[in-house]
Amino acid sequence: MCYHSYLDITLHIFTCYCSFIINCIIRHIISQKVIHQFLLSLNVTCLSFQESEDGRTYFLKIHVPWEVLATYADVLKIKVPFKANDIPDKKEVPLSWLCTPYRLPEHVMQPEPDYFTATFDKSKIDFFLIEDKETFFPPSTRSRIVYYILSRCSYSKEDKDKKGIKRLLNNGTYVAAFPLHDCRYWTKSIDANCESERYALYKYWARFSSFYKEQPLNLVRKYYGEKIGIYFAWLGFYTEMLSYAAVVGLLCFIYGLATFDENVWSKEICNETIGGQIIMCPLCDKKCGYWKLSTTCSSSWQSYLFDNTATLFFAIFMGIWVTLFLEFWKRRQARLEYEWDLVDMEEEQQQMQLRPEYEIKCTHRRLNQVTQMEPYLPLTSKCARSVLSGATVLFWISLIFACIIAVIVYRLAVFAAFAGIMKDSPTNNMDLIGNLITPQFATSVTASCLNFIIIMVLNFLYEHVAIKITDMEVPRTHVEYENKLTVKMFLFQFVNYYSSCFYVAFFKGKFVGYPGDYSYMFGKWRNEECEPGGCLIELTTQLVIVMVGKQVWGNIQEALVPWLRNWWVSRSARSHPESLYSRWEQDHDLQSFSQLGLFYEYLEMVIQFGFITLFVASFPLAPLLALMNNILEVRVDAWKFTTQFRRPVAAKAHSIGVWDEILNMIAVFSVVTNAFIVAFTSDMIPRLVYKYAYHLDTESTMEGYINNSLSVFNISEIPEKNRPEDGENPDWFYSSNITTCRYRDYRYPPGHEKQYTYTMQFWHIFAAKFAFIIIMEYLYIPKCQFIRHLKAELICFLLMYGLLGGQYFAEMHLSENLKSEGGKKSIY
């Protein structure tokens, strides 16, 4: 036999408003006793059972009467309306008719009137606008109150610490607990009293055909709560701001296409009289032969698309864009705080609401500041748990570095293999792709794909570990729990996703040595070299594979997997009418929305934010790809919440929490990484130094740059271990007397008194690179400070307007009602 329990707002309406389900399985007689005691502890509620069609499942309906709602609304300091907002609406914006195609109907955008609110006081209920006690508290507030009760109900007479629906869910006594949707998403409810908000959300928000329209954030907030509403507000704002970065990035790419013919150095590489006559030293030991520079013609042209003058402009632009994004979001967030009455909210009085797990696991008690006994975790236990947690995180981060080293070893080991295999490959004779499929390209693509697979596997394993060690730390409040888990997960994923890009950008080709004195990894594998066109194109390849691969995989996980699961579970009942396939059974067949559901949504977007800011100088089209993904992401998330998931318990939040600090950290770090990419990964600085300081003609041009950027080495001085094996060199090498080869560096030629040491040009370029980094940092910081100061003034004005205006009207109204009692009561 199985017990399923259910909470409805009213006893006579099963499909309307907010409902709460507890789905349980009684496995043995002990579970029956536990359930009996748990239900007895809910003496403040009305209970009734509903049986499923097959007779094997029971749903328990829990109705919370007005007295209980009022009592806990007072305890939880919930704000309720006391006066209609009589402040005149803002004036019509000029040319607002241009935005008409993007607007939604007014009843969808503003599903309820605007009120002035005050903290609920059960003893002063006459002061509040209570027209109907059954509908005074919205469904989201009801579900929060009921879940608060369920989380603290005891189910054992002998041990009062045994309490909470979570423990009953974890030990299998109950299977699920969730609020109900108000109707089917594709049709309105047959009950005229039901608002059918789920249907409205699906019709105007969750369909992809509405991708160009605004989001009904007020309706989302009313149906799902402020926490989910804030997430969609942030996601929509982030997507909107991405459009500006995408347009500028696209213009930079178009600039590269438009100035394609002005690429002098690529023309020199492709010219048979220049690049065709430059013999390059072998790229690996034994298996790699001498090669002509002209074989890199195609990759040189590709590199120019992203490594041109516009790259510098775009790097500076993104530094300003990321600051504007964060500051404008603070303003948008402050506006939502005022409009949604969250300005003075302290995370729903989180300091008063300890996690049930914390209350259970902390057996020690102490007197707090308001003379109440509260549980606490001793300092020694807290330190021991923190040390163990930190050691676990460090171990997994070390595992990432070990995997990255393994991928680097793979790159070093297979490059020589690809060089030997592809030397006589039939693809070499193909006109279109023959010059594109090179050992460097094959190594880069396969290594990037291998790295992506490792990333996804490590993420899957670490998610479970991070949750376990966070539970072990026993955080005090829900906010503290989410913050601790967020820091652990982001730190791990930051290293996991970005380490390979950091390797290509800042390490590959930087510690190679030169012919006759190459550097080796572990004394066995020769370090990789960058192509004459630079490592920027390889960084672009790495970024595209990891970023696009993650987005595609994320959309499959978010949309396809839940849909397939729901389709399989409800395949036999989908066509039944609601009279046979009840609302609670329909929602039970949906996927559960975990407490950390929003955490993964934020994490996905913040990782993407890192890709488009940390390495955007190497790929100006990254914001465009992110924009296209996010346009789909908004509607996929909306569709998922509306159609594929059970209705989550509503929760309040006045901001995106710790993610705000993480975004700020990424923003600051991105300026440094992009400056280093332009300086050390791109060839822009060496080209500018050559153009304005080392070009021999009176007119500054790039002619002769390729010959200037390549050093000379005497072939006879190459050690035996570095020389190509017999048969590895091409036929043309033996048909002419070749005594020297070229390599990418700035060193004195053989025969010079300082042969094979760095030239003065190398040090000039090195100094110019660091000068560029310093100048870029000092240009960026004052602009950011100015923008932050300007936006802070506007935000402060908005907050003060909301606080003072709201407080004035609230206190005036309450003071009038309290005159008869001889005093004035503040709403705060």
Side-chain angles (χ1 to χ4, degrees):
M1 179 174 288
C2 225
Y3 284 90
H4 292 229
S5 82
Y6 160 103
L7 156 75
D8 192 26
I9 292 308
T10 60
L11 283 170
H12 60 281
I13 300 177
F14 293 142
T15 61
C16 191
Y17 301 111
C18 175
S19 303
F20 214 97
I21 296 292
I22 305 174
N23 181 343
C24 66
I25 297 179
I26 302 181
R27 303 181 185 276
H28 42 71
I29 198 67
I30 296 178
S31 295
Q32 293 181 7
K33 293 180 179 179
V34 169
I35 293 173
H36 179 71
Q37 179 60 35
F38 185 69
L39 297 182
L40 286 178
S41 66
L42 297 175
N43 53 11
V44 295
T45 61
C46 301
L47 309 175
S48 63
F49 284 93
Q50 301 290 339
E51 185 177 358
S52 66
E53 182 185 4
D54 57 12
R56 298 166 55 191
T57 304
Y58 293 88
F59 293 88
L60 174 62
K61 173 182 172 183
I62 306 175
H63 170 59
V64 180
W66 165 257
E67 285 299 321
V68 178
L69 288 173
T71 299
Y72 279 93
D74 197 347
V75 171
L76 297 176
K77 309 298 181 186
I78 291 175
K79 288 188 174 183
V80 293
F82 69 88
K83 178 180 174 62
N85 185 358
D86 53 2
I87 299 177
D89 293 335
K90 59 184 179 180
K91 296 181 179 180
E92 187 72 18
V93 178
L95 301 178
S96 60
W97 57 271
L98 293 175
C99 300
T100 302
Y102 313 105
R103 301 294 185 191
L104 292 176
E106 185 64 22
H107 74 277
V108 177
M109 294 301 298
Q110 301 292 339
E112 54 187 0
D114 191 16
Y115 296 100
F116 292 111
T117 61
T119 302
F120 183 78
D121 188 343
K122 187 178 179 181
S123 63
K124 309 294 181 185
I125 59 175
D126 293 338
F127 300 152
F128 302 101
L129 298 178
I130 304 178
E131 297 179 359
D132 184 357
K133 291 183 178 180
E134 293 295 338
T135 59
F136 178 65
F137 292 107
S140 58
T141 301
R142 286 176 171 264
S143 69
R144 284 165 45 214
I145 292 175
V146 173
Y147 193 78
Y148 181 85
I149 297 172
L150 293 177
S151 299
R152 286 156 176 80
C153 280
S154 175
Y155 58 85
S156 174
K157 289 183 178 181
E158 295 78 13
D159 188 356
K160 294 300 182 181
D161 288 336
K162 291 184 177 180
K163 59 184 179 180
I165 187 63
K166 283 189 176 181
R167 292 189 70 176
L168 294 177
L169 292 172
N170 292 335
N171 62 26
T173 304
Y174 289 87
V175 173
F178 53 90
L180 284 185
H181 289 291
D182 61 358
C183 66
R184 291 186 170 186
Y185 66 85
W186 63 86
T187 183
K188 289 185 176 181
S189 173
I190 58 175
D191 193 324
N193 295 323
C194 185
E195 297 181 9
S196 299
E197 292 173 346
R198 187 190 187 193
Y199 169 76
L201 287 172
Y202 176 73
K203 180 179 179 180
Y204 296 105
W205 181 51
R207 292 179 175 178
F208 185 74
S209 57
S210 303
F211 74 93
Y212 61 94
K213 292 185 177 291
E214 59 186 339
Q215 296 189 82
L217 294 178
N218 288 319
L219 184 58
V220 174
R221 172 229 181 180
K222 180 183 177 185
Y223 192 74
Y224 290 112
E226 286 81 359
K227 193 171 185 178
I228 292 178
I230 284 285
Y231 164 72
F232 280 102
W234 177 82
L235 180 59
F237 182 80
Y238 171 46
T239 304
E240 179 184 348
M241 290 294 292
L242 268 178
S243 62
Y244 304 109
V247 169
V248 176
L250 182 61
L251 291 176
C252 291
F253 181 75
I254 293 174
Y255 171 84
L257 291 174
T259 59
F260 212 56
D261 292 336
E262 300 176 12
N263 184 5
V264 177
W265 53 92
S266 292
K267 290 181 178 180
E268 291 184 348
I269 291 176
C270 299
N271 193 323
E272 286 299 324
T273 60
I274 302 176
Q277 300 300 317
I278 297 177
I279 310 302
M280 303 296 295
C281 298
L283 294 173
C284 64
D285 297 338
K286 302 295 184 180
K287 295 297 182 180
C288 297
Y290 297 94
W291 53 286
K292 292 183 178 180
L293 182 61
S294 57
T295 57
T296 62
C297 176
S298 298
S299 62
S300 175
W301 284 108
Q302 295 168 15
S303 179
Y304 175 76
L305 292 176
F306 308 109
D307 189 5
N308 51 61
T309 308
T311 302
L312 175 60
F313 165 77
F314 191 61
I316 297 173
F317 167 81
M318 287 302 293
I320 299 174
W321 175 88
V322 72
T323 304
L324 290 174
F325 164 66
L326 294 175
E327 297 306 317
F328 276 117
W329 166 245
K330 290 178 183 177
R331 182 186 181 188
R332 173 67 170 145
Q333 188 171 260
R335 181 179 174 184
L336 287 176
E337 286 183 37
Y338 171 66
E339 292 178 351
W340 291 356
D341 201 15
L342 303 169
V343 174
D344 60 334
M345 191 201 81
E346 296 181 0
E347 295 294 342
E348 230 181 299
Q349 305 295 325
Q350 283 293 334
Q351 298 306 316
M352 297 173 56
Q353 299 182 24
L354 303 178
R355 293 176 65 239
E357 295 85 352
Y358 180 84
E359 296 176 330
I360 294 169
K361 293 182 180 180
C362 296
T363 57
H364 296 76
R365 297 289 187 271
R366 66 182 176 186
L367 202 64
N368 66 11
Q369 296 177 353
V370 292
T371 67
Q372 293 180 350
M373 296 301 295
E374 67 173 6
Y376 80 99
L377 197 64
L379 182 61
T380 53
S381 176
K382 185 181 295 185
C383 291
R385 293 169 187 267
S386 298
V387 169
L388 181 58
S389 174
T392 305
V393 174
L394 288 177
F395 168 78
W396 278 86
I397 291 178
S398 301
L399 186 62
I400 295 176
F401 284 118
C403 292
I404 292 300
I405 292 174
V407 173
I408 294 173
V409 170
Y410 165 84
R411 300 172 71 108
L412 301 179
V414 303
F415 179 78
F418 277 127
I421 294 172
M422 302 180 70
K423 179 180 63 174
D424 300 320
S425 174
T427 58
N428 294 337
N429 299 323
M430 297 183 180
D431 294 334
L432 294 178
I433 64 173
N435 294 327
L436 297 178
I437 303 179
T438 62
Q440 294 93 330
F441 177 80
T443 301
S444 176
V445 171
T446 56
S448 299
C449 294
L450 177 62
N451 182 70
F452 176 73
I453 294 173
I454 292 174
I455 286 173
M456 303 312 296
V457 172
L458 289 177
N459 279 346
F460 175 78
L461 297 175
Y462 182 75
E463 283 180 7
H464 302 282
V465 175
I467 293 174
K468 290 292 184 183
I469 60 178
T470 305
D471 291 338
M472 179 197 65
E473 290 184 72
V474 196
R476 189 171 185 270
T477 65
H478 292 290
V479 173
E480 184 180 347
Y481 180 89
E482 290 185 4
N483 290 347
K484 285 179 178 291
L485 181 62
T486 298
V487 171
K488 292 182 182 67
M489 285 295 295
F490 177 75
L491 181 62
F492 177 84
Q493 296 218 8
F494 182 91
V495 178
N496 197 20
Y497 277 107
Y498 304 143
S499 54
S500 58
C501 292
F502 274 104
Y503 164 73
V504 175
F506 306 123
F507 294 96
K508 182 182 177 182
K510 306 301 187 294
F511 309 100
V512 176
Y514 62 93
D517 189 20
Y518 285 117
S519 299
Y520 288 81
M521 186 175 187
F522 304 131
K524 184 176 181 180
W525 292 286
R526 178 173 147 186
N527 289 346
E528 287 184 282
E529 296 184 41
C530 291
E531 294 185 6
C535 279
L536 192 71
I537 189 64
E538 187 170 344
L539 176 59
T540 303
T541 303
Q542 179 78 24
L543 182 64
V544 170
I545 290 176
V546 177
M547 178 180 172
V548 175
K550 182 186 182 304
Q551 292 179 348
V552 172
W553 179 252
N555 287 327
I556 291 175
Q557 281 186 312
E558 289 185 19
L560 186 60
V561 173
W563 180 81
L564 288 175
R565 288 178 177 175
N566 291 337
W567 176 84
W568 179 256
V569 170
S570 61
R571 63 191 183 281
S572 61
R574 282 192 301 273
S575 59
H576 290 180
E578 198 153 16
S579 59
L580 297 178
Y581 191 33
S582 63
R583 163 64 31 224
W584 43 90
E585 289 179 289
Q586 293 175 41
D587 284 9
H588 173 254
D589 290 341
L590 298 177
Q591 297 297 301
S592 63
F593 185 81
S594 68
Q595 181 184 354
L596 300 175
L598 275 186
F599 164 80
Y600 294 111
E601 301 295 340
Y602 276 118
L603 183 63
E604 178 187 7
M605 289 295 100
V606 171
I607 292 296
Q608 182 203 82
F609 180 79
F611 278 122
I612 68 163
T613 54
L614 293 173
F615 309 102
V616 73
S618 67
F619 188 48
L621 293 180
L624 179 62
L625 295 180
L627 174 64
M628 292 189 294
N629 174 81
N630 287 9
I631 291 174
L632 179 64
E633 181 76 21
V634 172
R635 303 304 162 178
V636 167
D637 284 351
W639 172 82
K640 181 177 62 178
F641 273 89
T642 307
T643 68
Q644 302 302 309
F645 280 89
R646 298 168 185 165
R647 189 174 181 177
V649 179
K652 278 200 171 186
H654 63 80
S655 67
I656 62 176
V658 72
W659 296 110
D660 196 17
E661 298 299 323
I662 291 176
L663 291 173
N664 277 284
M665 181 198 72
I666 293 176
V668 174
F669 198 38
S670 68
V671 179
V672 179
T673 56
N674 282 300
F676 272 85
I677 287 174
V678 173
F680 288 95
T681 309
S682 166
D683 274 356
M684 182 173 298
I685 302 299
R687 289 199 292 261
L688 292 176
V689 170
Y690 171 79
K691 182 176 181 179
Y692 295 107
Y694 283 87
H695 189 260
L696 299 179
D697 295 341
T698 55
E699 183 181 357
S700 298
T701 66
M702 292 303 298
E703 293 181 0
Y705 168 73
I706 290 299
N707 186 64
N708 176 267
S709 64
L710 298 175
S711 298
V712 181
F713 194 84
N714 195 333
I715 291 178
S716 62
E717 298 180 22
I718 297 179
E720 185 64 29
K721 66 176 182 178
N722 301 134
R723 292 184 179 182
E725 294 178 348
D726 294 339
E728 296 296 339
N729 291 323
D731 295 337
W732 53 259
F733 181 79
Y734 299 104
S735 61
S736 57
N737 185 22
I738 300 174
T739 58
T740 60
C741 63
R742 311 292 292 272
Y743 60 99
R744 196 168 187 261
D745 211 338
Y746 293 92
R747 295 179 182 269
Y748 288 108
H752 194 277
E753 60 180 1
K754 297 181 180 179
Q755 68 175 5
Y756 306 140
T757 61
Y758 289 122
T759 63
M760 188 56 65
Q761 184 176 355
F762 170 85
W763 298 111
H764 289 165
I765 293 172
F766 191 77
K769 290 178 177 180
F770 274 100
F772 169 79
I773 293 172
I774 295 172
I775 292 172
M776 188 170 178
E777 295 297 322
Y778 276 94
L779 285 176
Y780 170 78
I781 294 174
K783 290 180 180 178
C784 293
Q785 290 177 342
F786 172 76
I787 293 172
R788 290 193 178 105
H789 176 75
L790 181 63
K791 302 311 296 179
E793 295 294 332
L794 294 174
I795 292 172
C796 287
F797 172 78
L798 182 61
L799 286 174
M800 291 303 295
Y801 172 79
L803 281 170
L804 296 179
Q807 184 175 7
Y808 171 77
F809 284 106
E811 291 189 351
M812 286 294 294
H813 178 76
L814 289 180
S815 63
E816 292 175 0
N817 288 281
L818 290 172
K819 282 181 180 179
S820 60
E821 299 187 13
K824 177 180 177 181
K825 178 181 178 183
S826 171
I827 60 173
Y828 304 111

